[in-house]
Amino acid sequence: MAIADLANPTRFLAFANRTIPWLGGLAVVAFAFGINQAIVAPDDYQQGATVKIMFLHVPGAWLGMLGWGVMTIAALGTLVWRHPLADVAAKATAPIGAAFTLMCLVTGSLWGRPMWGTYWVWDARLTSVLLLFLLYLGVIALWRTVEDPSLAARAAAILTLVGAIDLPIIKFSVEWWNTLHQPASVFRMGGPTIDASILIPLSIMTIAFTLTFATLVLAAMRNEILRRRVRTLRLMQASAAS
């Protein structure tokens, strides 16, 4: 099946029905292996066992940003390319991305308490991630409050494109400003600064969470397509009855 064929809702449903069990199964296997590796990973010589919060915090941060990136592409698909499933992808991704962003904020606060002596500071990285979470809530609110689906899609797409400005701010905030948050430790020019005993389980957990993210997005898109079909049938029945 060509990628262009997935623009057809019926073909996308068939693709999702085949793909979701495989992605879910791979996620379970990755989690089983990743959790085992995380348990046997050594404590940090300075942070102790609290360093293992990284195995939840980093994937949450990555997927919070990835979710908004997916929504940004979908917003362009809605406003520019008029892709028939673009707004479906955006609507399905928003609550999932918000959940991972919240996971990032909560685990970051729990990690910050023993390291910084406080759960929260108005640090550039923390504040920009909080802004991302609020933007997610704004998009979700638009989808829920605007009754016209096409109008809601356009409004959410515009807010998504405006909010995309926050992504580079999150990424480079630790380099642009003097912040408490540590700089990049994995994706950097000189290579990762994390020891392999921590980097390997971190990578596996990130893959497991990413597979979970993909599974949830596909399932949510499938549910949204079916929900719209039911809505269309009800409107047709109401029109026929009147």
Side-chain angles (χ1 to χ4, degrees):
M1 179 183 296
I3 295 179
D5 292 339
L6 297 179
N8 182 290
T10 301
R11 292 176 179 174
F12 179 85
L13 288 175
F15 169 78
N17 289 333
R18 291 195 303 268
T19 305
I20 288 173
W22 285 99
L23 284 176
L26 289 173
V28 170
V29 172
F31 269 120
F33 189 43
I35 292 173
N36 176 71
Q37 291 295 303
I39 291 173
V40 301
D43 295 345
D44 184 74
Y45 77 102
Q46 287 183 321
Q47 302 183 40
T50 59
V51 73
K52 295 186 179 182
I53 298 177
M54 179 191 303
F55 302 143
L56 298 177
H57 179 68
V58 173
W62 151 245
L63 292 173
M65 295 179 67
L66 176 64
W68 201 270
V70 171
M71 290 167 56
T72 300
I73 296 173
L76 292 174
T78 297
L79 297 175
V80 179
W81 302 308
R82 308 293 183 182
H83 193 285
L85 294 184
D87 61 321
V88 173
K91 185 177 181 180
T93 304
I96 299 170
F100 279 109
T101 305
L102 180 61
M103 184 177 82
C104 169
L105 290 169
V106 172
T107 55
S109 295
L110 295 175
W111 197 1
R113 180 65 179 86
M115 295 299 103
W116 299 340
T118 181
Y119 288 107
W120 183 265
V121 292
W122 292 102
D123 176 272
R125 171 64 63 84
L126 275 66
T127 304
S128 56
V129 173
L130 176 61
L131 176 60
L132 179 65
F133 179 65
L134 296 177
L135 286 168
Y136 269 120
L137 296 184
V139 168
I140 294 171
L142 279 175
W143 279 110
R144 290 182 176 273
T145 56
V146 180
E147 295 184 2
D148 184 350
S150 60
L151 181 59
R154 290 194 297 271
I158 293 172
L159 178 57
T160 299
L161 292 177
V162 173
I165 300 173
D166 193 38
L167 295 184
I169 295 176
I170 294 174
K171 171 62 178 174
F172 298 108
S173 57
V174 293
E175 300 175 11
W176 291 345
W177 297 287
N178 183 23
T179 69
L180 283 175
H181 197 285
Q182 69 183 52
S185 302
V186 179
F187 297 106
R188 53 191 301 275
M189 294 296 293
T193 59
I194 304 176
D195 187 78
S197 61
I198 298 293
L199 181 60
I200 291 174
L202 175 61
S203 301
I204 297 171
M205 290 295 288
T206 301
I207 291 171
F209 274 110
T210 303
L211 289 170
T212 302
F213 173 87
T215 304
L216 293 175
V217 169
L218 282 178
M221 290 182 65
R222 178 181 63 183
N223 292 343
E224 179 62 22
I225 291 172
L226 294 176
R227 187 180 300 112
R228 292 186 180 193
R229 288 187 172 183
V230 170
R231 180 177 182 272
T232 300
L233 288 174
R234 288 177 177 175
L235 291 174
M236 293 175 61
Q237 291 175 351
S239 177
S242 62

